[in-house]
Amino acid sequence: MNIGLTGGIACGKSTVADIFVRLGAVLVDADQIAREVVLPGRPALRQIAERFGQAVLKEDGTLNRKRLGELIFGNVDARKDLEAIIHPPIRAEITERIAYWSANGEGKTIVFDIPLLFESKYEGLLPDTVVVYIPRELQLKRLMARDGINESEAEQRLLAQMPIEEKRKLAAHVIDNSGSMQETESQVINYLQKKGLL
């Protein structure tokens, strides 16, 4: 069974993905796919260098993420250009993996960890969606602690995403990660048991 997993920044999505894997699921990580599509030799990396200049490449030919981040931070047009380059190959790869596991994953639990699941409209391909949720105030506190940033910077990052309350409403199922690790894990176990996957 294919499951779409998402959540907001600092909500603990990676923690929940790890719990699914520990309980026997196969993980397909959209962030890993995003790194793969910009490897040397891939068309997206060439297009990024053409659009943003050779300065976004390291000496070994790999992407200089820090330099690219500096160029697109606060520049809406540059960010849109980057998204136009990388989103199509990411989507093609994720769609291909969904099709593969739909055909070959009988009896397996496949978790697709996709940060922008709803924003990128994957819910049509992955109708069983799970959102890792914590209240916004806690999200803000965890983000500040995790990244060592102030409240204003954390607010900026939260405002750049779909609000967690909105994601919660769109999800087929919600894992509330505001309690202890044991409470979170028991929710994942309950979800898998209800689906007949554990």
Side-chain angles (χ1 to χ4, degrees), residues 133-184:
Y133 169 83
I134 58 175
R136 194 181 189 281
E137 313 77 61
L138 182 56
Q139 186 183 15
L140 191 67
K141 281 181 190 164
R142 285 188 183 175
L143 180 57
M144 288 165 63
R146 188 191 79 181
D147 292 1
I149 56 176
N150 63 37
E151 189 170 344
S152 168
E153 291 171 310
E155 278 288 355
Q156 249 188 331
R157 292 189 191 180
L158 290 187
L159 290 171
Q161 293 195 334
M162 179 187 285
I164 192 62
E165 296 298 338
E166 202 173 318
K167 287 188 178 192
R168 182 184 193 181
K169 287 178 196 162
L170 292 169
H173 192 84
V174 175
I175 302 285
D176 187 325
N177 190 37
S178 54
S180 69
M181 176 71 88
Q182 289 80 5
E183 288 168 328
T184 298

Side-chain angles (χ1 to χ4, degrees), residues 69-185:
E70 290 165 0
L71 292 173
I72 66 165
F73 184 74
N75 185 330
V76 176
D77 289 337
R79 186 171 47 79
K80 283 183 178 170
D81 288 349
L82 178 63
E83 288 170 356
I85 293 168
I86 63 169
H87 283 187
I90 292 170
R91 186 172 190 84
E93 186 64 36
I94 290 173
T95 303
E96 193 176 298
R97 293 193 196 188
I98 291 170
Y100 172 83
W101 285 111
S102 294
N104 301 291
E106 194 174 324
K108 290 190 172 93
T109 303
I110 317 300
V111 175
F112 289 82
D113 179 343
I114 307 176
L116 302 177
L117 190 146
F118 296 118
E119 296 89 331
S120 300
K121 309 281 185 250
Y122 285 107
E123 66 271 30
L125 298 170
L126 294 162
D128 204 51
T129 54
V130 175
V131 164
V132 180
Y133 169 83
I134 58 175
R136 194 181 189 281
E137 313 77 61
L138 182 56
Q139 186 183 15
L140 191 67
K141 281 181 190 164
R142 285 188 183 175
L143 180 57
M144 288 165 63
R146 188 191 79 181
D147 292 1
I149 56 176
N150 63 37
E151 189 170 344
S152 168
E153 291 171 310
E155 278 288 355
Q156 249 188 331
R157 292 189 191 180
L158 290 187
L159 290 171
Q161 293 195 334
M162 179 187 285
I164 192 62
E165 296 298 338
E166 202 173 318
K167 287 188 178 192
R168 182 184 193 181
K169 287 178 196 162
L170 292 169
H173 192 84
V174 175
I175 302 285
D176 187 325
N177 190 37
S178 54
S180 69
M181 176 71 88
Q182 289 80 5
E183 288 168 328
T184 298
E185 184 159 343

